[in-house]
Amino acid sequence: MRVKDKYINPFTDFGFKKLFGSEPNKDLLVDFLNELLQKKTGQIIDLTYLPPEQLGRHIDNRKAIFDIYCENEYGERFIVELQKAKQNYFKDRSIYYSTFPIQQQAEKGQWDFKLNAIYTVGILDFVFDEDKEDQDVFHHEVKLIDQSTKRVFYDKLTYIYLEMPKFTKTENELETHFDKWLYILRNLENLTNRPKKLQEKIFGKLFEQAEIANYTDQEYAEYEESLKVYRDLKNVIDTAFDEGKAEGLAEGKAVGLAEGIEKSKDAAIRLTALQLKQEGIPHETIAKVTGLTIKIINELS
C-alpha cells in the first residue's frame, strides 16, 4: 500500500460514507447533526440508517439515491447530501428529495396527516452562483416563511446548505464545537497531524477512522478509486461549465439574450455530462450531478 496523504478526503463518496454513513461511526454523525441543528426540542440521542435508494409510489417513477438517510428516536428524518461539484438544479433536487420522506409517512386507512420533521442537509464543495458576492454567509437554513409576518409558517421542513469554500477560519480562530467540525471537513485531507485545538474525544475517533494507514488494501483501493472520481468530476465540471456557457452565449447573439442564457445552461449541462461520460464516471453519478436522465446520458456522443 502506498500512502500519499495521511487522512482521507471527506468529500469523496468513500470518505464521507466511511466517516458518517457506517454503523460503527454513527456517533460522529449524531454529534455533527446536533451541532448543526441546535435543536430546541432536544438533542438527537440515536439514529437508524434507512435504505439510501428510494423509489416513487409507482414503479415507473424516478428514484432517489441519498448519500445518507436516517431517522432519530422521535421519527424525524434526515437526508445528508454531499455535493462535490456545482449543479444548476441542486436546490431543485434537494426539494425533490425531501418529498420522499414526506410521502413515506402516509398511513393507510384513517390518518390525520400529522408529519414528523424532515431535515435536508447539503454539504457543498462549491458556492451558489447567486451568493458569490456574499462571502460572509455560508450557512443557509431555509424554512417556509410567511411573507406578511416574516415568521416561520411551517417548522417541520428544513433545508440547510453549507457552502464550505466560504469557511476560511484558521485553527487559531476556531471558537465553537461547530467551527471545529467545519474546519475538519474543509481541511482534513491536507492535515498531517491532529490539531491541538481538536482534542475532544469525538474528534479523536474521527481522526482514527480517517487515517489511511489504518485501512486494508481493499479499503485503500476503494478510496483511491473514489478520490479519482472526485478529482475528475471537479476538473471536468469546471471546464465544461465554462465551455458550455461560452457556446450558449455565442448562439445567443443570434437568437436574443434570454434564449441565449437558456441555451448556455443547457449546453453547459450536456457538455458536462458528455465529458464526465468520456472520463468513465458512472452514469448514475452523472445523472445526480447534472439532473439529466440516464436515457439522455446514454444518447450523448
Side-chain angles (χ1 to χ4, degrees):
M1 180 189 299
R2 183 168 61 90
V3 179
K4 302 173 186 176
D5 303 310
K6 184 168 184 178
Y7 300 112
I8 57 175
N9 183 332
F11 283 93
T12 61
D13 285 337
F14 178 92
F16 189 63
K17 289 172 183 174
K18 173 74 174 177
L19 296 177
F20 297 109
S22 61
E23 191 69 28
N25 294 336
K26 184 165 59 176
D27 52 339
L28 299 180
L29 181 60
V30 168
D31 191 82
F32 173 73
L33 288 177
N34 277 327
E35 288 301 311
L36 173 67
L37 301 176
Q38 294 291 316
K39 287 165 58 62
K40 297 180 177 62
T41 55
Q43 288 202 326
I44 302 167
I45 304 301
D46 192 22
L47 290 171
T48 301
Y49 289 108
L50 302 174
E53 182 170 331
Q54 301 294 313
L55 300 175
R57 298 178 68 85
H58 303 287
I59 193 168
D60 57 344
N61 286 159
R62 191 179 179 92
K63 66 181 179 181
I65 302 178
F66 307 136
D67 288 335
I68 294 175
Y69 183 36
C70 52
E71 180 179 21
N72 70 3
E73 63 271 24
Y74 308 112
E76 299 171 328
R77 307 287 179 96
F78 303 84
I79 299 170
V80 186
E81 285 279 292
L82 188 76
Q83 187 66 19
K84 296 179 282 293
K86 67 175 63 177
Q87 178 186 358
N88 275 348
Y89 302 111
F90 176 72
K91 292 179 183 178
D92 299 65
R93 183 165 69 86
S94 64
I95 301 298
Y96 172 70
Y97 273 18
S98 70
T99 65
F100 285 83
I102 292 174
Q103 294 181 61
Q104 287 170 358
Q105 295 185 56
E107 298 177 6
K108 293 182 178 179
Q110 292 293 324
W111 177 47
D112 60 6
F113 291 92
K114 182 178 183 296
L115 296 171
N116 292 321
I118 296 164
Y119 298 87
T120 299
V121 179
I123 304 173
L124 315 180
D125 198 16
F126 67 93
V127 173
F128 290 126
D129 284 339
E130 60 270 28
D131 293 327
K132 283 183 176 178
E133 302 305 318
D134 186 356
Q135 291 299 314
D136 294 329
V137 179
F138 67 89
H139 181 178
H140 304 273
E141 182 168 324
V142 182
K143 293 179 182 287
L144 292 176
I145 300 291
D146 185 324
Q147 290 283 27
S148 300
T149 63
K150 304 303 178 185
R151 291 196 295 266
V152 174
F153 174 76
Y154 186 73
D155 64 356
K156 293 183 181 179
L157 190 59
T158 305
Y159 301 90
I160 297 175
Y161 305 106
L162 300 174
E163 297 173 294
M164 293 306 300
K166 288 184 179 180
F167 183 81
T168 58
K169 285 188 176 183
T170 64
E171 180 186 348
N172 291 332
E173 294 173 321
L174 303 179
E175 299 175 356
T176 66
H177 193 64
F178 187 51
D179 279 348
K180 295 175 182 180
W181 265 114
L182 297 179
Y183 181 83
I184 289 174
L185 289 173
R186 185 82 164 87
N187 299 285
L188 181 60
E189 181 188 26
N190 298 316
L191 296 176
T192 55
N193 288 293
R194 180 180 172 186
K196 292 181 180 179
K197 272 209 169 185
L198 305 179
Q199 294 305 309
E200 290 89 337
K201 182 178 179 181
I202 195 72
F203 295 138
K205 178 173 182 177
L206 184 144
F207 278 97
E208 179 184 342
Q209 293 296 314
E211 189 166 352
I212 299 172
N214 294 331
Y215 295 169
T216 65
D217 288 348
Q218 168 97 19
E219 288 176 320
Y220 179 68
E222 290 176 5
Y223 171 61
E224 281 288 284
E225 178 59 29
S226 185
L227 185 62
K228 179 181 183 302
V229 169
Y230 167 77
R231 289 172 175 167
D232 287 347
L233 190 63
K234 292 284 287 181
N235 291 335
V236 171
I237 287 282
D238 291 342
T239 301
F241 264 77
D242 289 341
E243 292 177 358
K245 287 179 181 178
E247 179 184 328
L249 291 174
E251 292 182 22
K253 292 179 180 179
V255 297
L257 180 60
E259 188 175 344
I261 291 174
E262 288 306 309
K263 282 181 175 289
S264 73
K265 290 181 180 179
D266 185 64
I269 292 170
R270 289 175 180 267
L271 184 56
T272 298
L274 177 58
Q275 293 192 10
L276 292 173
K277 183 178 177 180
Q278 291 170 342
E279 288 287 332
I281 304 297
H283 288 194
E284 291 78 9
T285 301
I286 299 173
K288 181 177 178 180
V289 170
T290 63
L292 297 176
T293 65
I294 297 294
K295 180 181 178 181
I296 291 177
I297 294 168
N298 287 334
E299 294 172 350
L300 291 174
S301 62

Short mmCIF file of all heavy atoms in Angstrom, two decimals, residues 249-278:
data_model
loop_
_atom_site.label_atom_id
_atom_site.label_comp_id
_atom_site.label_asym_id
_atom_site.label_seq_id
_atom_site.Cartn_x
_atom_site.Cartn_y
_atom_site.Cartn_z
N LEU A 249 -23.79 31.28 -25.08
CA LEU A 249 -23.85 32.73 -25.23
C LEU A 249 -23.52 33.16 -26.65
O LEU A 249 -24.05 34.15 -27.15
CB LEU A 249 -22.91 33.40 -24.23
CG LEU A 249 -23.35 33.29 -22.77
CD1 LEU A 249 -22.28 33.85 -21.84
CD2 LEU A 249 -24.67 34.01 -22.54
N ALA A 250 -22.65 32.41 -27.32
CA ALA A 250 -22.34 32.71 -28.72
C ALA A 250 -23.59 32.52 -29.57
O ALA A 250 -23.91 33.33 -30.45
CB ALA A 250 -21.21 31.81 -29.22
N GLU A 251 -24.33 31.43 -29.31
CA GLU A 251 -25.57 31.20 -30.04
C GLU A 251 -26.59 32.28 -29.71
O GLU A 251 -27.40 32.68 -30.53
CB GLU A 251 -26.15 29.83 -29.68
CG GLU A 251 -25.33 28.66 -30.17
CD GLU A 251 -25.98 27.33 -29.81
OE1 GLU A 251 -27.20 27.33 -29.58
OE2 GLU A 251 -25.27 26.32 -29.76
N GLY A 252 -26.52 32.78 -28.47
CA GLY A 252 -27.49 33.77 -28.03
C GLY A 252 -27.41 35.09 -28.79
O GLY A 252 -28.38 35.83 -28.85
N LYS A 253 -26.27 35.38 -29.39
CA LYS A 253 -26.15 36.61 -30.16
C LYS A 253 -27.14 36.65 -31.31
O LYS A 253 -27.59 37.71 -31.74
CB LYS A 253 -24.72 36.75 -30.70
CG LYS A 253 -23.68 36.99 -29.61
CD LYS A 253 -22.29 37.10 -30.22
CE LYS A 253 -21.24 37.34 -29.12
NZ LYS A 253 -19.87 37.43 -29.69
N ALA A 254 -27.48 35.47 -31.82
CA ALA A 254 -28.37 35.41 -32.96
C ALA A 254 -29.83 35.27 -32.56
O ALA A 254 -30.72 35.62 -33.32
CB ALA A 254 -27.99 34.23 -33.86
N VAL A 255 -30.09 34.78 -31.38
CA VAL A 255 -31.47 34.48 -31.00
C VAL A 255 -32.00 35.35 -29.86
O VAL A 255 -33.14 35.24 -29.47
CB VAL A 255 -31.62 32.99 -30.62
CG1 VAL A 255 -31.32 32.10 -31.80
CG2 VAL A 255 -30.74 32.66 -29.43
N GLY A 256 -31.15 36.21 -29.30
CA GLY A 256 -31.62 37.07 -28.22
C GLY A 256 -31.03 36.66 -26.88
O GLY A 256 -30.69 35.50 -26.68
N LEU A 257 -30.91 37.62 -25.97
CA LEU A 257 -30.24 37.38 -24.70
C LEU A 257 -30.91 36.31 -23.85
O LEU A 257 -30.26 35.39 -23.37
CB LEU A 257 -30.17 38.69 -23.91
CG LEU A 257 -29.48 38.61 -22.54
CD1 LEU A 257 -28.04 38.14 -22.72
CD2 LEU A 257 -29.53 39.96 -21.84
N ALA A 258 -32.21 36.40 -23.66
CA ALA A 258 -32.91 35.45 -22.78
C ALA A 258 -32.75 34.02 -23.26
O ALA A 258 -32.43 33.12 -22.50
CB ALA A 258 -34.39 35.82 -22.68
N GLU A 259 -33.01 33.85 -24.58
CA GLU A 259 -32.88 32.49 -25.12
C GLU A 259 -31.43 32.03 -25.08
O GLU A 259 -31.13 30.86 -24.88
CB GLU A 259 -33.39 32.48 -26.57
CG GLU A 259 -33.47 31.07 -27.15
CD GLU A 259 -34.10 31.06 -28.53
OE1 GLU A 259 -34.74 32.07 -28.92
OE2 GLU A 259 -33.94 30.04 -29.22
N GLY A 260 -30.52 32.98 -25.26
CA GLY A 260 -29.10 32.63 -25.21
C GLY A 260 -28.68 32.14 -23.84
O GLY A 260 -27.89 31.21 -23.72
N ILE A 261 -29.23 32.75 -22.79
CA ILE A 261 -28.91 32.32 -21.43
C ILE A 261 -29.40 30.89 -21.19
O ILE A 261 -28.70 30.06 -20.62
CB ILE A 261 -29.54 33.28 -20.41
CG1 ILE A 261 -28.83 34.65 -20.48
CG2 ILE A 261 -29.45 32.72 -18.99
CD1 ILE A 261 -29.47 35.71 -19.63
N GLU A 262 -30.64 30.61 -21.66
CA GLU A 262 -31.16 29.26 -21.51
C GLU A 262 -30.33 28.25 -22.28
O GLU A 262 -30.07 27.14 -21.83
CB GLU A 262 -32.63 29.20 -21.96
CG GLU A 262 -33.59 29.89 -21.01
CD GLU A 262 -33.45 29.36 -19.59
OE1 GLU A 262 -33.49 28.13 -19.41
OE2 GLU A 262 -33.30 30.17 -18.67
N LYS A 263 -29.92 28.64 -23.49
CA LYS A 263 -29.08 27.75 -24.29
C LYS A 263 -27.73 27.51 -23.61
O LYS A 263 -27.19 26.41 -23.67
CB LYS A 263 -28.86 28.34 -25.69
CG LYS A 263 -30.05 28.18 -26.64
CD LYS A 263 -29.72 28.78 -28.00
CE LYS A 263 -30.85 28.50 -28.99
NZ LYS A 263 -30.90 27.07 -29.36
N SER A 264 -27.21 28.55 -22.95
CA SER A 264 -25.92 28.39 -22.28
C SER A 264 -26.04 27.38 -21.15
O SER A 264 -25.14 26.57 -20.93
CB SER A 264 -25.42 29.74 -21.75
OG SER A 264 -26.16 30.16 -20.64
N LYS A 265 -27.15 27.42 -20.41
CA LYS A 265 -27.35 26.46 -19.33
C LYS A 265 -27.44 25.04 -19.86
O LYS A 265 -26.80 24.12 -19.35
CB LYS A 265 -28.62 26.81 -18.55
CG LYS A 265 -28.53 28.08 -17.72
CD LYS A 265 -29.83 28.31 -16.97
CE LYS A 265 -29.77 29.58 -16.13
NZ LYS A 265 -31.05 29.81 -15.41
N ASP A 266 -28.26 24.88 -20.90
CA ASP A 266 -28.44 23.54 -21.46
C ASP A 266 -27.14 23.02 -22.06
O ASP A 266 -26.80 21.85 -21.89
CB ASP A 266 -29.53 23.58 -22.53
CG ASP A 266 -29.86 22.20 -23.06
OD1 ASP A 266 -30.33 21.36 -22.27
OD2 ASP A 266 -29.60 21.94 -24.25
N ALA A 267 -26.42 23.91 -22.75
CA ALA A 267 -25.15 23.49 -23.36
C ALA A 267 -24.15 23.08 -22.29
O ALA A 267 -23.42 22.09 -22.43
CB ALA A 267 -24.59 24.62 -24.22
N ALA A 268 -24.10 23.86 -21.19
CA ALA A 268 -23.17 23.55 -20.10
C ALA A 268 -23.48 22.19 -19.49
O ALA A 268 -22.59 21.39 -19.23
CB ALA A 268 -23.22 24.64 -19.04
N ILE A 269 -24.75 21.93 -19.25
CA ILE A 269 -25.16 20.66 -18.64
C ILE A 269 -24.81 19.48 -19.53
O ILE A 269 -24.22 18.49 -19.08
CB ILE A 269 -26.67 20.68 -18.33
CG1 ILE A 269 -26.98 21.69 -17.23
CG2 ILE A 269 -27.16 19.30 -17.92
CD1 ILE A 269 -28.46 21.94 -17.03
N ARG A 270 -25.16 19.59 -20.80
CA ARG A 270 -24.92 18.46 -21.72
C ARG A 270 -23.43 18.25 -21.97
O ARG A 270 -22.97 17.10 -22.07
CB ARG A 270 -25.68 18.68 -23.02
CG ARG A 270 -27.19 18.51 -22.86
CD ARG A 270 -27.97 18.84 -24.12
NE ARG A 270 -29.39 18.66 -23.90
CZ ARG A 270 -30.06 17.53 -24.16
NH1 ARG A 270 -29.40 16.49 -24.67
NH2 ARG A 270 -31.34 17.44 -23.93
N LEU A 271 -22.69 19.34 -22.09
CA LEU A 271 -21.25 19.20 -22.31
C LEU A 271 -20.59 18.61 -21.08
O LEU A 271 -19.69 17.77 -21.17
CB LEU A 271 -20.64 20.56 -22.66
CG LEU A 271 -19.15 20.55 -23.02
CD1 LEU A 271 -18.87 19.59 -24.17
CD2 LEU A 271 -18.68 21.96 -23.37
N THR A 272 -21.04 19.03 -19.92
CA THR A 272 -20.53 18.46 -18.67
C THR A 272 -20.79 16.96 -18.64
O THR A 272 -19.89 16.16 -18.34
CB THR A 272 -21.23 19.12 -17.46
OG1 THR A 272 -20.92 20.51 -17.46
CG2 THR A 272 -20.76 18.50 -16.16
N ALA A 273 -22.01 16.56 -18.94
CA ALA A 273 -22.37 15.14 -18.92
C ALA A 273 -21.53 14.34 -19.91
O ALA A 273 -21.06 13.24 -19.60
CB ALA A 273 -23.86 14.97 -19.23
N LEU A 274 -21.33 14.89 -21.10
CA LEU A 274 -20.55 14.20 -22.12
C LEU A 274 -19.11 13.99 -21.67
O LEU A 274 -18.54 12.90 -21.82
CB LEU A 274 -20.59 14.98 -23.43
CG LEU A 274 -19.75 14.39 -24.59
CD1 LEU A 274 -20.20 12.96 -24.91
CD2 LEU A 274 -19.85 15.28 -25.82
N GLN A 275 -18.50 15.04 -21.10
CA GLN A 275 -17.11 14.91 -20.69
C GLN A 275 -16.97 13.97 -19.50
O GLN A 275 -16.00 13.21 -19.41
CB GLN A 275 -16.55 16.29 -20.36
CG GLN A 275 -16.44 17.20 -21.59
CD GLN A 275 -15.62 18.44 -21.32
OE1 GLN A 275 -14.98 18.57 -20.29
NE2 GLN A 275 -15.63 19.36 -22.26
N LEU A 276 -17.93 13.99 -18.60
CA LEU A 276 -17.90 13.03 -17.49
C LEU A 276 -18.04 11.60 -18.01
O LEU A 276 -17.37 10.68 -17.53
CB LEU A 276 -19.02 13.33 -16.50
CG LEU A 276 -18.90 14.63 -15.70
CD1 LEU A 276 -20.15 14.86 -14.88
CD2 LEU A 276 -17.68 14.59 -14.79
N LYS A 277 -18.90 11.43 -19.00
CA LYS A 277 -19.10 10.12 -19.61
C LYS A 277 -17.80 9.63 -20.25
O LYS A 277 -17.41 8.46 -20.12
CB LYS A 277 -20.20 10.22 -20.66
CG LYS A 277 -20.58 8.92 -21.34
CD LYS A 277 -21.73 9.17 -22.32
CE LYS A 277 -22.08 7.90 -23.09
NZ LYS A 277 -23.19 8.13 -24.04
N GLN A 278 -17.10 10.53 -20.94
CA GLN A 278 -15.84 10.17 -21.59
C GLN A 278 -14.74 9.86 -20.57
O GLN A 278 -13.80 9.12 -20.87
CB GLN A 278 -15.40 11.31 -22.51
CG GLN A 278 -16.30 11.47 -23.73
CD GLN A 278 -16.01 12.73 -24.52
OE1 GLN A 278 -15.38 13.67 -24.02
NE2 GLN A 278 -16.48 12.78 -25.77
#
